[in-house]
Amino acid sequence: MASRQRCPRLLAQLRPRVSPASHCRTTPIRRARYSSSSEPKNSSSNTGFTIGIILTATALGCAATFAYKYPLPARPARLDEPTLADKDALKKREAVIGNDSPMRLRMEKFIKEQQQIIVKELERVDGKKFQVDEWERPNGGGGITCVLQEGNTFEKAGVGVSVVYGSLPKAGIAAMRANHKSLDPNLESLEFFAAGLSMVLHPWNPMAPTVHLNYRYFETALPDGTSQAWWFGGGSDLTPSYLFDEDAIHFHKTLKEACDKHDKEYYPRFKKWCDEYFVNTHRNETRGVGGIFFDDLDETERDQENTFAFIQSCLKSFLPSYIPLIEKRKDMPFTEAEKAWQQIRRGRYVEFNLLHDRGTAFGLSKPGARVESILMSLPLTASWKYMHEPKAGSREARLVEVLQQPKEWV
Ligand SMILES: *[C@@H]1O[C@H](CO)[C@@H](O)[C@H](O)[C@H]1NC(C)=O
């Protein structure tokens, strides 16, 4: 965590970056990229940082299927050809990103704008400022991690964007074809792009729920830079320590409205998917009261433009789904016993993220991972009490019942 800056500085991210070498025709763009990087220039670190970036993209939870299924080798050396990252960097310098720009650049722009909007609103609620860490990667892409730790409302809040350019080997392409038939299994390697926004908010007040969100876009590209396969994934889910039915209903209702604008079947399908993914199987409990979760939304379902519109609706529904809840609960009175129960529930959150979340597990098993980004989703404090059982008939017991048998909220 090198720099301490305000999130509004992120605006700089949306402006085109001009490096002197980029205008010099005789200087390969790749050199310009390396020279602007603070990363070690040692090529043996390629595997480490490629995987590290993937994990950054997936740091907050559910984005990891990609990285989990397809471990990446060192990037092949093709110094003669501009990469997808080079081409995108050039496009960003040459023109304003608009509706006819490639989806990669539109998604990156969208999630960076949303990150700023969300961070600003959370700063308003909390009264304290986020710490902002921006990084770039030598092979293109980078990220912005915003963390507010020990705020007035939030014990820990993380809102991160990451953009990844990498190369997928033959084995990875073959494995990915399971979900994306349009991929050509005869290619030796394939460039890919991944961009995502991830967030976890842990409030201090035990009456205020934890919330998680992640929306991401993947694309593979042919050597000429044209898109070969693309898909979106993501979701948002709520984890209360004390269950207020009206809060769960409001959260689900807001998500359902966002889904219904695009397809009436999305909400029931993605609500179920969420209940099935965020489960502490060893405890027979879901992590929280759910929300929506989905992956591999591609052209077999709906065209890219409409799918992007759906993702935009989902992400834009975040603030209306959560801000009324945090405003209502953040200053409620609570007892020491209630705080202790929150700490036990936080422990369950940690159990899910460390034991079951695929992105976290994969990330921590690899050298060179950006550990702080991967573990940004963990709460500041949590506890484990031996053989703790809530009293029968208590509010705590009711929460556990609901987590064992997920409800339909809307
Ligand atoms: C918990 O166990 C019950 C009974 O076997 C089962 O119906 C339920 O789906 C389980 N809940 C979760 C969240 O795994």
Side-chain angles (χ1 to χ4, degrees):
M1 302 285 167
S3 57
R4 207 178 171 94
Q5 305 157 334
R6 294 222 25 212
C7 238
R9 287 246 359 247
L10 297 183
L11 268 173
Q13 285 288 314
L14 301 175
R15 286 183 210 121
R17 259 189 227 101
V18 180
S19 71
S22 69
H23 293 307
C24 174
R25 288 268 159 220
T26 57
T27 308
I29 290 170
R30 179 178 294 272
R31 284 217 8 235
R33 197 174 56 240
Y34 271 95
S35 66
S36 67
S37 162
S38 58
E39 288 290 325
K41 285 162 193 168
N42 174 3
S43 67
S44 70
S45 69
N46 273 2
T47 307
F49 75 64
T50 304
I51 290 164
I53 311 166
I54 290 289
L55 292 159
T56 300
T58 62
L60 288 182
C62 51
T65 34
F66 182 84
Y68 176 71
K69 289 184 210 158
Y70 323 115
L72 302 164
R75 185 185 179 80
R78 287 185 307 179
L79 294 166
D80 48 334
E81 271 174 55
T83 63
L84 195 60
D86 295 329
K87 289 173 191 157
D88 282 355
L90 193 66
K91 284 194 193 91
K92 280 189 230 178
R93 286 192 295 268
E94 282 174 348
V96 174
I97 305 306
N99 288 352
D100 49 2
S101 302
M103 186 55 73
R104 297 183 298 280
L105 303 181
R106 293 171 68 192
M107 179 68 173
E108 178 179 345
K109 178 169 180 268
F110 175 66
I111 58 181
K112 283 180 174 170
E113 285 166 359
Q114 289 299 309
Q115 183 185 34
Q116 284 192 62
I117 293 169
I118 290 170
V119 159
K120 198 163 163 245
E121 179 63 359
L122 296 176
E123 286 181 342
R124 183 193 65 74
V125 169
D126 191 278
K128 285 195 186 171
K129 300 293 175 198
F130 276 76
Q131 172 180 334
V132 180
D133 291 307
E134 301 182 18
W135 70 90
E136 284 187 29
R137 293 294 178 179
N139 62 339
I144 308 167
T145 302
C146 299
V147 175
L148 197 170
Q149 191 163 277
E150 297 185 84
N152 297 311
T153 299
F154 296 106
E155 176 188 295
K156 193 163 161 204
V159 189
V161 158
S162 66
V163 175
V164 184
Y165 290 87
S167 181
L168 200 65
K170 202 167 182 171
I173 301 168
M176 207 165 27
R177 285 196 79 240
N179 289 320
H180 305 281
K181 296 285 178 236
S182 65
L183 294 176
D184 178 355
N186 299 315
L187 289 171
E188 281 308 314
S189 72
L190 201 55
E191 281 195 87
F192 77 87
F193 168 89
L197 170 65
S198 294
M199 162 168 61
V200 176
L201 311 178
H202 294 292
W204 289 112
N205 194 307
M207 302 300 148
T210 285
V211 71
H212 161 251
L213 169 152
N214 171 280
Y215 290 103
R216 54 194 184 270
Y217 173 72
F218 284 103
E219 188 180 299
T220 56
L222 295 169
D224 67 3
T226 52
S227 171
Q228 202 200 12
W230 58 266
W231 63 98
F232 289 91
S236 172
D237 59 284
L238 196 70
T239 305
S241 298
Y242 282 90
L243 177 56
F244 294 87
D245 285 32
E246 64 188 83
D247 290 4
I249 291 166
H250 171 83
F251 187 78
H252 277 266
K253 192 164 166 281
T254 311
L255 289 175
K256 182 176 185 299
E257 280 164 10
C259 290
D260 283 355
K261 277 194 269 175
H262 301 270
D263 189 329
K264 296 265 191 240
E265 287 182 357
Y266 277 170
Y267 173 77
R269 190 174 142 210
F270 301 154
K271 190 266 184 202
K272 183 160 176 278
W273 201 334
C274 187
D275 287 339
E276 287 166 359
Y277 179 75
F278 293 101
V279 180
N280 266 328
T281 45
H282 61 288
R283 299 258 187 206
N284 182 233
E285 282 176 7
T286 55
R287 186 174 73 176
V289 296
I292 57 169
F293 177 79
F294 55 87
D295 205 357
D296 295 321
L297 274 197
D298 64 12
E299 67 205 346
T300 60
E301 304 223 15
R302 205 164 268 263
D303 66 53
Q304 195 181 43
E305 200 58 43
N306 279 300
T307 312
F308 184 45
F310 167 62
I311 296 293
Q312 288 175 294
S313 295
C314 288
L315 187 39
K316 285 180 182 169
S317 76
F318 170 70
L319 290 175
S321 75
Y322 185 71
I323 295 299
L325 311 187
I326 190 71
E327 296 268 31
K328 206 166 8 169
R329 307 296 170 206
K330 71 189 176 74
D331 299 318
M332 279 179 78
F334 60 87
T335 65
E336 253 174 62
E338 286 163 342
K339 183 70 188 171
W341 171 248
Q342 178 203 49
Q343 294 300 291
I344 290 169
R345 297 314 308 174
R346 290 261 202 272
R348 302 289 201 263
Y349 204 90
V350 172
E351 287 175 20
F352 178 83
N353 287 23
L354 297 185
L355 294 174
H356 301 299
D357 188 78
R358 290 174 290 190
T360 311
F362 176 80
L364 297 180
S365 73
K366 302 293 171 198
R370 196 170 194 269
V371 175
E372 286 306 306
S373 286
I374 295 166
L375 299 184
M376 178 174 94
S377 63
L378 294 179
L380 197 60
T381 60
S383 73
W384 283 265
K385 273 193 189 150
Y386 183 67
M387 298 292 271
H388 180 88
E389 285 281 349
K391 266 206 219 86
S394 64
R395 291 188 70 188
E396 293 81 0
R398 166 135 196 281
L399 174 76
V400 174
E401 277 162 32
V402 169
L403 300 180
Q404 287 176 349
Q405 287 295 346
K407 279 179 62 146
E408 295 305 318
W409 295 101
V410 287

